[in-house]
Amino acid sequence: AQSVTQLGSHVSVSEGALVLLRCNYSSSVPPYLFWYVQYPNQGLQLLLKYTSAATLVKGINGFEAEFKKSETSFHLTKPSAHMSDAAEYFCAVRTSNTGNQFYFGTGTSLTVIP
Amino acid sequence: KAGVTQTPRYLIKTRGQQVTLSCSPISGHRSVSWYQQTPGQGLQFLFEYFSETQRNKGNFPGRFSGRQFSNSRSEMNVSTLELGDSALYLCASSSGLAGVGETQYFGPGTRLLVL
């Protein structure tokens, strides 16, 4: 079975500081991994995805994530936080043997302190 | 290109009633998936439709059903509403042809409150 664990339901960083949101996955087959962001009263917007090509994936708004198979991780980072980054972030996994449905983590709420 | 649209955006119902939510995918997309988002359970997959056929189903009771029309628009129906059905219902669309790595585009959601 597939699952995603996001460590830290709430993360606070100062504006300009490094953002690190953690995601660990469990999958018996090669996973496809996604990070989505959700702003209040909105749907989910794709930040980036890993689809078995380069292990370091660059996304929108300066975010990137690195797929580490040995650690079963796909942590999201951004070198310098901006106030507009405050939102809920979701990590998700999909695999070919589960009908392509997403399994989402429980989300991490990011607060940016001015 | 217009994004995924969902109607209505907000809905208030009482227990025992039924509700129908609508989703219009991005033009050209043939796959529509539905998710339920609640503070306690997070985001959970309901079902996926592709070319008018249900292609995958999550672990929800039979009160939750859906369908897809020939123009790819999709509806989901919840009968005999319970308080626990209060949630944000998200619809996502994709071409449905590019496999597991394909991006799904989400709509803004319909927020359902059951009283």
Side-chain angles (χ1 to χ4, degrees):
Chain A
Q2 280 63 239
S3 67
V4 172
T5 301
Q6 291 184 241
L7 291 175
S9 58
H10 298 276
V11 171
S12 295
V13 299
S14 298
E15 190 174 16
L18 171 71
V19 176
L20 170 61
L21 305 182
R22 300 179 186 276
C23 172
N24 287 88
Y25 69 91
S26 172
S27 175
S28 57
V29 298
Y32 291 77
L33 296 158
F34 302 75
W35 274 101
Y36 279 88
V37 61
Q38 185 177 34
Y39 298 100
N41 299 314
Q42 294 187 28
L44 277 67
Q45 180 183 4
L46 179 70
L47 280 175
L48 49 80
K49 64 180 180 180
Y50 167 76
T51 59
S52 75
T55 56
L56 182 62
V57 182
K58 294 187 183 300
I60 63 170
N61 302 338
F63 285 95
E64 63 180 38
E66 185 172 9
F67 173 70
K68 292 187 177 180
K69 184 178 179 181
S70 61
E71 299 177 8
T72 60
S73 68
F74 190 57
H75 301 331
L76 182 71
T77 61
K78 181 174 180 178
S80 176
H82 191 273
M83 295 298 294
S84 60
D85 295 328
E88 189 89 16
Y89 292 80
F90 293 92
C91 182
V93 63
R94 294 174 93 186
T95 61
S96 58
N97 67 345
T98 56
N100 295 342
Q101 71 182 72
F102 275 118
Y103 290 88
F104 283 93
T106 51
T108 297
S109 178
L110 176 66
T111 299
V112 181
I113 303 166
Chain B
K1 217 178 212 185
V4 178
T5 58
Q6 293 185 245
T7 56
R9 291 293 312 278
Y10 303 92
L11 206 50
I12 300 176
K13 292 287 187 177
T14 56
R15 278 182 300 174
Q17 287 186 311
Q18 75 164 12
V19 66
T20 299
L21 311 182
S22 181
C23 172
S24 292
I26 291 172
S27 178
H29 284 185
R30 292 162 61 185
S31 169
V32 173
S33 297
W34 289 89
Y35 293 84
Q36 181 195 63
Q37 185 178 21
T38 60
Q41 300 296 320
L43 281 151
Q44 293 186 289
F45 173 76
L46 280 155
F47 28 65
E48 179 202 7
Y49 285 87
F50 177 79
S51 293
E52 302 180 66
T53 301
Q54 188 179 85
R55 190 157 72 169
N56 197 12
K57 189 178 188 301
N59 190 26
F60 276 80
R63 300 187 296 108
F64 291 82
S65 63
R67 60 177 175 169
Q68 187 179 35
F69 302 95
S70 58
N71 62 358
S72 293
R73 190 178 69 86
S74 176
E75 290 181 346
M76 68 162 281
N77 183 275
V78 188
S79 62
T80 319
L81 284 166
E82 300 176 0
L83 295 179
D85 297 333
S86 295
L88 180 67
Y89 290 88
L90 292 166
C91 163
S93 82
S94 64
S95 74
L97 300 170
V100 183
E102 184 178 50
T103 298
Q104 284 192 341
Y105 297 88
F106 283 80
T110 293
R111 187 164 296 281
L112 171 65
L113 177 62
V114 182
L115 301 176

